[in-house]
């Protein structure tokens, strides 16, 4: 870990080159406001430098801060410079007519950049201030009881290994039989007691977190073979979900959760294992456009699963490299960023459009929150020309969500919220409070990623409740197991 920290410490200043090179390449596009554009770039660069000065190395205590910094840099400054030079890659992610209007509206692009810079600068300066205030209190998190109790770890890993595979297959069969959350397929009749929703969140939240627990408990008990088997189960679950639901992101999500587990310190991978994970990520990028073909075959031709897969292979043909590059581009630009705000600001067909762009909702945002699809529904049906029957929802992005709620002040608050979540939230989870702390940290990074990319903060309630319920069950189970083994030891001693 020390070697990695030193390499990150030496490399981190290279992040500032993004603003220098980006500004040099794009300044000619904003000659109508050259001083204003220079000011925004300078502010973002100085704010990032301030944070990097305080964030001296990669420490597990600041994992979420590093993660948030990289995500914000990727989907805002980097994306902004890219689409300023060539906006074509984001065309497939935006409605056609709004995209056509936004491409020629550089004024609103500059305003979208201003909003993202305010959000980013507040985040960087807030985290830098908190690092100054709390650094002297930061110590390495003490080892939790569950870490050191080999008997508990071994028992938990064995139980999960026996239970998980049948549970995955059973829930997968039920999901397939009743078409639960299948992409492009009619959901059919609802099941009683909202069982479809329970099965969906059990498969997409509870089962992955249990697999993460299996990997951790096996790793801590020294059973490396079992922990690697847990990794295979996690990947297999992602593949199964991808085939059953026609989801393009299921496999990537499984791999992302594994990466989050490494970031949380729940498992250490050897060099060859990291290479294999990298190969799996590359395969997942290839599968993304392939799954688009597969999903279309199922939805429009009403083919069975195996028939749709075989047809997708035939259609894909020998264009493997093209599918791979298309998958990388899709994943990178699938995460909503600065272009989402630019498009909303530029679209004159929105009923709420006025001279300086789409008007923030203000007090009316409460009404949008109470609607079935929240702010995402407002963006899709009130700003963009989609009908409710189109079965489409467009995410507003993190900055776009706060702007729609209350304008520029809310965007600044969004930067503070990201700072407090990534610094204080992670710091709280890194303490000796939870037996299942690494699993909770994985879920925390997952939710943080969704919030920073999709920006559907008001629509995350169900998945967060599902995750919290899952963590409570896991925590309660671990505590009961530890108590059981603690009481068992004196009984053994007396006999």
């Amino acid at each position: 870990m020390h070697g990695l920290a030193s390499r990150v410490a030496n490399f981190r200043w290279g992040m500032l080159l993004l603003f220098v090179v980006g500004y040099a390449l794009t300044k000619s596009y904003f000659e109508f406001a050259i001083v204003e554009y220079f000011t925004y770039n300078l502010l973002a660069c100085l704010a990032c430098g301030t944070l990097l000065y305080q964030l001296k190395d990669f420490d597990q205590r600041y994992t979420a801060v590093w993660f948030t910094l990289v995500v914000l840099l990727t989907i805002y400054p980097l994306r902004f410079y890219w689409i300023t030079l060539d906006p074509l890659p984001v065309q497939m992610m935006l409605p056609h007519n709004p995209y056509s209007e936004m491409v020629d509206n550089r004024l609103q692009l500059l305003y979208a950049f201003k909003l993202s810079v305010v959000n980013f600068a507040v985040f960087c300066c807030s985290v830098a201030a908190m690092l100054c205030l709390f650094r002297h209190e930061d110590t390495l998190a003490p080892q939790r009881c569950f870490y050191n109790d080999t008997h508990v770890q071994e028992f938990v890993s064995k139980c999960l290994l026996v239970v998980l595979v049948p549970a995955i297959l059973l829930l997968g069969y039920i999901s397939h039989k009743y078409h639960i959350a299948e992409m492009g397929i009619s959901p059919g009749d609802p099941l009683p007691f909202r069982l479809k929703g329970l099965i969906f969140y059990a498969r997409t939240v509870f089962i992955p977190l249990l697999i993460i627990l299996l990997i951790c408990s096996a790793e801590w008990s020294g059973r490396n073979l079992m922990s690697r088997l847990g990794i295979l189960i996690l990947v297999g679950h992602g593949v199964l979900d991808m085939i059953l639901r026609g989801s393009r992101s299921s496999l990537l999500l499984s791999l992302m959760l594994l990466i989050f587990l490494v970031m949380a310190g729940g498992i250490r991978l050897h060099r060859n294992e990291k290479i294999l994970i990298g190969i799996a990520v590359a395969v997942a990028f290839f599968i993304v456009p392939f799954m688009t073909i597969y999903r279309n075959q199922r939805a429009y031709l009403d083919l069975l699963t195996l028939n749709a897969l075989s047809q997708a292979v035939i259609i894909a043909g020998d264009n493997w490299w093209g599918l791979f590059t298309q998958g990388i581009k899709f994943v990178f630009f699938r995460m909503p960023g600065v272009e989402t705000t630019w498009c909303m600001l530029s679209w004159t067909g929105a009923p709420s459009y006025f001279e300086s762009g789409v008007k923030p909702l203000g007090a009316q945002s409460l009404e949008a929150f109470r609607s079935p699809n929240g702010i995402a529904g407002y963006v899709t049906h009130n700003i963009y020309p989609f009908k409710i029957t189109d079965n489409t929802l467009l995410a507003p992005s993190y900055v776009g969500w706060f702007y729609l709620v209350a304008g520029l002040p809310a965007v600044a608050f969004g930067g503070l919220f990201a700072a407090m979540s990534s610094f204080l939230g992670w710091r709280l989870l890194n303490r000796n409070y939870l037996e299942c702390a690494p699993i909770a940290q994985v879920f925390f990074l997952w939710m943080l990623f969704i919030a920073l990319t999709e920006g559907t903060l008001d629509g995350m309630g169900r998945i967060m409740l599902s995750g919290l319920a899952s963590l409570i069950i896991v925590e309660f189970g671990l505590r009961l197991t530890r108590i059981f083994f603690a009481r068992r030891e004196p009984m053994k001693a007396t006999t």
Side-chain angles (χ1 to χ4, degrees):
M1 178 63 73
H2 179 73
L4 174 63
S6 301
R7 290 195 295 271
V8 172
N10 295 330
F11 171 76
R12 72 189 195 282
W13 294 111
M15 294 182 178
L16 300 181
L17 290 175
L18 171 64
F19 301 100
V20 177
V21 175
Y23 172 75
L25 293 174
T26 58
K27 63 179 180 179
S28 61
Y29 290 87
F30 301 98
E31 291 181 347
F32 59 89
I34 191 66
V35 175
E36 182 181 3
Y37 183 56
F38 174 78
T39 303
Y40 296 155
N41 282 273
L42 180 62
L43 174 61
C45 186
L46 290 176
C48 186
T50 302
L51 175 57
L52 293 176
Y53 178 76
Q54 295 294 332
L55 202 62
K56 299 184 184 300
D57 54 27
F58 182 83
D59 193 300
Q60 204 270 338
R61 294 168 294 173
Y62 311 130
T63 296
V65 172
W66 277 107
F67 178 71
T68 304
L69 175 62
V70 171
V71 171
L72 290 179
L73 280 172
T74 301
I75 63 177
Y76 288 104
L78 176 60
R79 180 82 60 81
F80 166 78
Y81 297 129
W82 187 324
I83 65 175
T84 298
L85 299 171
D86 178 21
L88 188 61
V90 297
Q91 182 179 12
M92 60 182 176
M93 302 299 171
L94 297 169
H96 175 71
N97 291 337
Y99 170 82
S100 300
E101 284 198 13
M102 92 177 195
V103 169
D104 297 324
N105 197 333
R106 296 285 169 173
L107 181 62
Q108 298 296 0
L109 174 59
L110 181 62
Y111 189 64
F113 183 57
K114 172 186 175 180
L115 293 174
S116 64
V117 167
V118 169
N119 180 270
F120 180 74
V122 172
F123 162 76
C124 291
C125 295
S126 299
V127 173
M130 286 187 283
L131 283 169
C132 289
L133 291 173
F134 296 106
R135 188 184 298 276
H136 66 283
E137 299 180 9
D138 283 340
T139 56
L140 288 174
Q143 293 292 306
R144 302 168 182 83
C145 298
F146 181 59
Y147 280 69
N148 300 321
D149 199 329
T150 305
H151 297 295
V152 176
Q153 298 162 4
E154 186 175 348
F155 176 77
V156 169
S157 59
K158 287 181 178 178
C159 289
L160 288 174
L161 188 62
V162 172
V163 170
L164 275 174
V165 174
I168 290 171
L169 295 176
L170 176 62
L171 290 175
Y173 171 76
I174 297 173
S175 180
H176 178 66
K177 180 178 177 61
Y178 294 101
H179 305 289
I180 299 175
E182 290 185 8
M183 304 295 183
I185 304 295
S186 174
D189 297 329
L191 295 177
F193 309 110
R194 299 187 177 183
L195 285 177
K196 282 193 173 184
L198 291 175
I199 292 172
F200 171 75
Y201 285 108
R203 293 190 67 249
T204 57
V205 179
F206 187 44
I207 291 295
L209 291 180
L210 286 182
I211 300 175
I212 294 296
L213 176 60
L214 165 62
I215 297 171
C216 286
S217 57
E219 178 81 6
W220 298 333
S221 62
R223 294 179 172 273
N224 293 332
L225 182 60
M226 189 180 293
S227 69
R228 273 50 185 178
L229 183 58
I231 293 176
L232 291 178
I233 293 174
L234 181 64
V235 174
H237 177 66
V239 172
L240 180 64
D241 188 67
M242 177 181 64
I243 295 174
L244 293 179
R245 295 177 52 227
S247 173
R248 292 175 290 194
S249 60
S250 295
L251 178 57
L252 278 172
L253 174 61
S254 297
L255 296 172
M256 186 173 67
L257 293 179
L258 179 60
I259 294 171
F260 288 164
L261 182 60
V262 175
M263 293 168 61
I267 186 175
R268 291 186 178 181
L269 298 176
H270 302 299
R271 182 174 178 273
N272 292 337
E273 293 170 338
K274 293 177 182 178
I275 294 174
L276 289 175
I277 296 299
I279 294 173
V281 172
V283 172
F285 282 135
F286 158 75
I287 288 178
V288 166
F290 177 81
M291 290 307 298
T292 302
I293 301 172
Y294 162 72
R295 191 163 74 186
N296 291 337
Q297 293 297 305
R298 292 185 66 188
Y300 300 124
L301 299 181
D302 195 24
L303 297 178
L304 297 177
T305 300
L306 293 178
N307 293 335
L309 281 173
S310 61
Q311 286 296 317
V313 171
I314 295 172
I315 294 173
D318 297 328
N319 188 27
W320 307 118
W321 177 251
L323 290 177
F324 175 71
T325 56
Q326 183 182 347
I328 293 178
K329 187 181 294 186
F330 176 86
V331 171
F332 180 75
F333 289 104
R334 171 64 180 82
M335 299 181 291
V338 67
E339 78 286 347
T340 305
T341 310
W342 178 22
C343 194
M344 289 191 299
L345 292 171
S346 303
W347 175 230
T348 57
S352 57
Y353 183 86
F354 69 131
E355 290 183 0
S356 58
V358 172
K359 184 179 180 180
L361 291 170
Q364 295 178 354
S365 60
L366 297 176
E367 183 179 349
F369 292 158
R370 290 193 294 265
S371 64
N373 295 312
I375 295 295
Y378 177 84
V379 171
T380 307
H381 307 304
N382 291 73
I383 295 179
Y384 295 133
F386 284 98
K387 300 177 181 179
I388 297 179
T389 55
D390 290 334
N391 197 26
T392 298
L393 277 179
L394 298 176
S397 80
Y398 187 72
V399 170
W401 188 91
F402 281 100
Y403 175 76
L404 283 175
V405 169
L408 183 60
V411 170
F413 175 78
L416 177 62
F417 179 76
M420 295 180 66
S421 299
S422 59
F423 184 83
L424 297 178
W426 186 263
R427 191 168 180 263
L428 181 66
L429 290 174
N430 211 33
R431 295 302 181 91
N432 191 26
Y433 301 136
L434 298 174
E435 300 281 353
C436 65
I439 294 86
Q441 288 174 328
V442 169
F443 181 71
F444 177 82
L445 290 175
W446 183 8
M447 295 301 100
L448 188 62
F449 178 76
I450 293 176
L452 293 174
T453 54
E454 300 289 333
T456 51
L457 277 73
D458 60 306
M460 294 176 60
R462 291 182 179 178
I463 189 171
M464 290 193 67
L465 287 175
S466 302
L468 290 175
S470 302
L471 292 175
I472 290 172
I473 293 172
V474 169
E475 180 72 10
F476 187 67
L478 291 177
R479 288 178 182 270
L480 284 180
T481 305
R482 186 160 59 84
I483 292 172
F484 171 77
F485 276 93
R487 292 180 176 178
R488 189 179 176 184
E489 290 300 324
M491 293 177 61
K492 285 184 176 181
T494 56
T495 57

